[in-house]
Amino acid sequence: MAKDIYIRLTEIGNGRKFTFPANPESIRGRLGSQYQSFEIISKGTVKIPRGMDVTEITWDGEFFGSSKKKESVVKMEYYQEPNLCITLLQEWQEKGTILNLIVSDTWINLDVTISSFSPQVYGAFGNIKYSITFMQAKELRIYTIDELQGFSEKMLLPRKDCVDTSGDTSYTVVSGDTLWGIASKKLGSGQKWTSIYECNAERIEATAKAHGKKSSDHGHWIYPGTTLSIPIEK
């Protein structure tokens, strides 16, 4: 049975959310100079190569008219009239709004902007086909020398009692990572993400603040290049 995967956009700063009522058959991601495509209806988790930046996410989908909203591919709890969906997405595109894009049960958890959106009416049922492309939004912040000196290396070190001394001691965050995903990969269960956060809390929080966040929201905001220590298995 296919997993119930959802695709959700959340407006950064405002909190408005939009969940796509129907999933596309596939999503394409451009990772650096390479492209990767996967079927999100039949596959839950797709691994991203380490050390490669995600620059674009794109897919072709469909918004169903009211007479077709009971189709099996439509998530009724998230259904909206196609014109309402298009109006919101076009607003976000025109304003260059930064959005958090999540595709559940995949590695896709990115801050993005909508770089292109092309809806097209077809048929007699009010359905609208569309193509959409997201560009990863990367924050740029310039620091003074005094600010940089304020980040004490001591504050960025993990707790010594958390370090795994068995050999596989660390993990470097790449684009699309979440603590849940890292815990699944390194500790065998996503539910152990809190152990990774607790062992690296000072580093995670300092990095989040360096990227302009008030906090990491308990590990929700982690950034590529951050090296995390893997906790001791007890």
Side-chain angles (χ1 to χ4, degrees):
M1 179 180 295
K3 292 185 178 181
D4 186 18
I5 296 173
Y6 67 80
I7 303 173
R8 177 171 296 159
L9 294 170
T10 302
E11 184 175 342
I12 302 298
N14 186 302
R16 283 192 298 175
K17 290 181 170 59
F18 175 75
T19 302
F20 286 81
N23 289 340
E25 290 187 359
S26 65
I27 291 179
R28 301 176 295 280
R30 186 158 71 90
L31 316 176
S33 60
Q34 299 182 11
Y35 284 86
Q36 183 181 69
S37 178
F38 62 94
E39 304 296 321
I40 69 167
I41 292 178
S42 61
K43 296 182 181 178
T45 301
V46 175
K47 293 183 179 179
I48 184 173
R50 283 188 66 177
M52 298 190 70
D53 286 336
V54 177
T55 55
E56 288 182 1
I57 298 292
T58 184
W59 68 78
D60 301 319
E62 188 168 352
F63 296 124
F64 290 85
S66 58
S67 63
K68 303 288 285 183
K69 65 182 181 182
K70 292 186 179 180
E71 294 285 331
S72 61
V73 296
V74 177
K75 296 176 172 62
M76 286 299 297
E77 65 270 32
Y78 300 122
Y79 179 80
Q80 295 186 52
E81 292 286 343
N83 287 338
L84 295 177
C85 300
I86 291 169
T87 297
L88 179 58
L89 293 171
Q90 286 181 331
E91 176 192 334
W92 280 338
Q93 181 190 13
E94 291 170 0
K95 292 182 177 180
T97 303
I98 297 179
L99 308 162
N100 180 241
L101 169 64
I102 289 180
V103 181
S104 67
D105 292 317
T106 77
W107 48 263
I108 300 175
N109 182 353
L110 305 167
D111 286 350
V112 298
T113 57
I114 301 174
S115 60
S116 69
F117 177 55
S118 303
Q120 178 182 0
V121 178
Y122 81 101
F125 299 103
N127 296 355
I128 296 179
K129 290 183 177 180
Y130 69 91
S131 296
I132 193 165
T133 300
F134 299 91
M135 185 70 68
Q136 186 175 8
K138 297 185 178 181
E139 294 178 302
L140 176 64
R141 185 174 177 187
I142 299 174
Y143 295 94
T144 67
I145 293 176
D146 289 341
E147 286 177 320
L148 290 173
Q149 290 176 341
F151 292 106
S152 168
E153 183 62 27
K154 182 178 180 180
M155 290 292 289
L156 297 179
L157 293 175
R159 295 198 336 244
K160 291 182 179 180
D161 62 322
C162 284
V163 177
D164 179 359
T165 58
S166 65
D168 195 6
T169 61
S170 65
Y171 177 84
T172 300
V173 177
V174 299
S175 292
D177 270 338
T178 63
L179 290 184
W180 182 281
I182 295 170
S184 297
K185 183 185 301 182
K186 305 297 287 186
L187 298 178
S189 171
Q191 295 180 347
K192 296 180 180 180
W193 70 269
T194 54
S195 297
I196 296 178
Y197 173 77
E198 290 168 0
C199 288
N200 297 275
E202 291 179 342
R203 170 169 288 182
I204 290 171
E205 294 302 326
T207 304
K209 290 177 181 178
H211 283 80
K213 302 292 184 184
K214 292 183 179 179
S215 73
S216 75
D217 193 13
H218 205 67
H220 175 72
W221 301 108
I222 56 176
Y223 296 87
T226 306
T227 299
L228 303 176
S229 289
I230 305 304
I232 298 170
E233 289 276 29
K234 297 179 178 180

